[in-house]
Each structure stands twice: as C-alpha cells, then as structure tokens.
Amino acid sequence: MGILLFGAAKDIAGVPVINKPEHITDVAALKAWLFEVYPSLQQLRSVMIAVNRTYAADTQVISSEDEIAVIPPVSGG
C-alpha cells in the first residue's frame, strides 16, 4: 500500500501517494527516508505519521499491508 500525503506534505512531494521502500520497517526510518527524499519536509514544524488511521510513535513497526499517512501541521481558528 502507498503512503498517503496530505496538505503541505502533498504539495512538497507533488503527488498524493508515494510507494514505501521495502527496507522501511518503522516510523523513525520512514521519517528519515522522507526527509532525505523530500528535504523540504524538514521545514514543517512537525510531521505526524498515522498507521492504520492512528497516530504512531517513532518506534511503531510498519509493514507493506499498513495504511500509512503523512500529516503535516494544521492550523485552525
């Protein structure tokens, strides 16, 4: 399953979905890979990762069957 990108993360990548490399097995590795491939993501104040529609800690293990989403900071009023 692909990695879903929302908001500014989608704008930075230029696409709404990207493929997860096979070697990525946890959220920390995913963030490191995303920041390497899309350095502009580091400019966002914080980026949250959701795994199967639940916010995930860096230690969360991920597999190819998981639904993964990159959620940039949101503002509201």
Side-chain angles (χ1 to χ4, degrees), residues 1 6 13 16-17 19 21 36 48 51 64-65:
M1 178 171 282
F6 295 96
V17 179
N19 291 321
E36 180 181 320
M48 298 297 295
V51 177
S64 59
E65 294 84 30

Side-chain angles (χ1 to χ4, degrees), residues 34-61:
L34 286 169
F35 293 153
E36 180 181 320
V37 175
Y38 304 102
S40 295
L41 283 176
Q42 296 179 62
Q43 296 174 6
L44 302 176
R45 187 172 37 89
S46 64
V47 172
M48 298 297 295
I49 303 295
V51 177
N52 298 321
R53 300 182 183 199
T54 301
Y55 287 117
D58 285 350
T59 56
Q60 172 77 41
V61 174

Side-chain angles (χ1 to χ4, degrees), residues 1-6 9 15-18 53 67-71:
M1 178 171 282
I3 300 168
L4 307 172
L5 303 168
F6 295 96
V15 293
V17 179
I18 56 176
R53 300 182 183 199
E67 177 185 79
I68 301 167
V70 178
I71 305 167

